[in-house]
Amino acid sequence: MTATLVDGKALAAKVRAQVAEDVAAFGEPVCLATVLVGDDPASHLYVGWKHKASAEAGIESRDHRLPEATPESEILDLVAELSADDGVDGILVQLPLPGHVDESLVTSSMDPAKDVDGLHPINAGRLFLGQPLHVPATPLGVMRMLEEYGVELKGSEAVVIGRSEIVGKPMAMLLLAEHATVTLCHSRTVDLAQHTRRADLVVAAVGRPGLVTRDMIKPGATVIDVGINRTESGIVGDVDRDVAEVAGLLTPVPGSVGPMTIAMLLSNTLQAARHRRLGLAVPGS
Ligand code: GUN
């Protein structure tokens, strides 16, 4: 079997075109503020892409870049300022933050109504309770891809590898909401292959090249590779390339999950603007 490759770029372009149309129809400015602390070249690249995509969708953006040594209190002050600023609809603090900064303190400090990353406890809790508002863009993009490619989730066996707040945990919640039987694997899982081999869907979100090999995949399964790893042979995911010989559907890296993440961020930003203008405040904010 040779897997069908998910064209995430094409789907992302479709989502972005829809967001652009909806932003124009909304008729009021929509604004995303990003905060990037430090010098990580990949983070600078990603944030640059987010601003370019925002502009193309008619979303204004504000770009706050702070030096690596910025004290935590200054970052908290900036987030408080953006939370209080009526001209800002969405706030994205690019992760990871430098080691001296408590990430969860920063994400918890923002107005949950503007938390387009879905990391504030209110948004994470709403997802947990089956009442989602802002959901992290990467797992949201994965769900959109699965829908587009007609992947049946109800009653399926789904294995998510990685338990991060931004991908693994929300991914598991979204799949559960669609009636998949979800197994959440992580670094302490004993015999990962035993779980993945019975899965109809595997989502790998760890950041380790070569984590998923072809012998770990059931023939015909859907394999979603969220990993982005810089290696000597270029950018690779968490899934070995020859998994394409057994999987039924596979996301190539780069160019599949990444573009969808940006598209869903724009969609979340428009959603935040709509909720704020319509006065649909997030309970607890
Ligand atoms: N770093 C890598 N991916 C993401 C993301 O989706 N959001 C944020 N805030 N930081 C990231």
Side-chain angles (χ1 to χ4, degrees), residues 35 43 46 50 92-96 117 119 136-138 166-167 261:
V35 178
S43 290
Y46 298 150
K50 289 170 187 177
L92 177 135
V93 178
Q94 184 69 22
L95 303 176
D117 254 334
L119 293 172
T138 301
I166 201 153
V167 184
T261 295

Side-chain angles (χ1 to χ4, degrees), residues 8-273:
K9 279 189 195 159
L11 182 55
K14 192 163 124 182
V15 171
R16 285 167 56 173
Q18 185 64 56
V19 172
E21 203 180 306
D22 293 347
V23 166
F26 186 58
E28 289 184 45
V30 176
C31 176
L32 171 69
T34 63
V35 178
L36 170 52
V37 187
D39 311 316
D40 179 47
S43 290
H44 279 266
L45 197 62
Y46 298 150
V47 169
W49 289 342
K50 289 170 187 177
H51 284 274
K52 186 169 177 284
S54 295
E56 284 169 10
I59 295 175
E60 294 171 11
S61 56
R62 300 201 197 160
D63 192 355
H64 297 271
R65 302 201 189 204
L66 307 174
E68 181 88 17
T70 307
E72 184 182 81
S73 59
E74 264 183 47
I75 300 166
L76 290 170
D77 286 348
L78 174 58
V79 169
E81 210 178 283
L82 296 171
S83 290
D85 187 334
D86 208 35
V88 171
D89 295 295
I91 304 170
L92 177 135
V93 178
Q94 184 69 22
L95 303 176
L97 287 167
H100 66 280
V101 183
D102 180 345
E103 282 184 1
S104 64
L105 185 63
V106 173
T107 50
S108 306
S109 74
M110 73 177 68
D111 178 350
K114 298 186 179 185
D115 165 37
V116 287
D117 254 334
L119 293 172
H120 188 285
I122 294 249
N123 287 317
R126 287 182 65 121
L127 178 61
F128 183 88
L129 294 173
Q131 304 157 18
L133 177 64
H134 297 316
V135 175
T138 301
L140 203 56
V142 171
M143 294 305 284
R144 185 72 174 76
M145 289 193 291
L146 296 173
E147 185 191 353
E148 185 78 9
Y149 280 79
V151 176
E152 176 66 39
L153 296 173
K154 192 166 37 175
S156 70
E157 288 275 350
V159 169
V160 178
I161 315 171
R163 55 177 157 179
S164 67
E165 264 81 44
I166 201 153
V167 184
K169 286 184 193 171
M171 188 77 252
M173 286 297 132
L174 290 168
L175 292 168
L176 190 61
E178 293 302 322
H179 315 291
T181 300
V182 183
T183 304
L184 187 47
C185 297
H186 47 79
S187 55
R188 312 288 164 85
T189 297
V190 176
D191 198 353
L192 179 62
Q194 179 214 320
H195 296 282
T196 58
R197 270 191 209 117
R198 61 176 163 69
D200 304 302
L201 166 67
V202 174
V203 180
V206 171
R208 182 139 49 95
L211 175 73
V212 177
T213 49
R214 61 173 291 167
D215 57 302
M216 294 167 70
I217 297 300
K218 181 166 86 173
T222 297
V223 180
I224 305 291
D225 191 351
V226 179
I228 301 180
N229 307 295
R230 281 166 184 74
T231 69
E232 280 175 6
S233 47
I235 293 179
V236 300
D238 291 352
V239 175
D240 266 357
R241 288 198 198 284
D242 59 8
V243 165
E245 290 159 25
V246 280
L249 184 66
L250 176 67
T251 58
V253 177
S256 202
V257 174
M260 283 305 293
T261 295
I262 294 182
M264 301 321 285
L265 168 67
L266 303 182
S267 170
N268 281 356
T269 304
L270 174 60
Q271 173 176 262

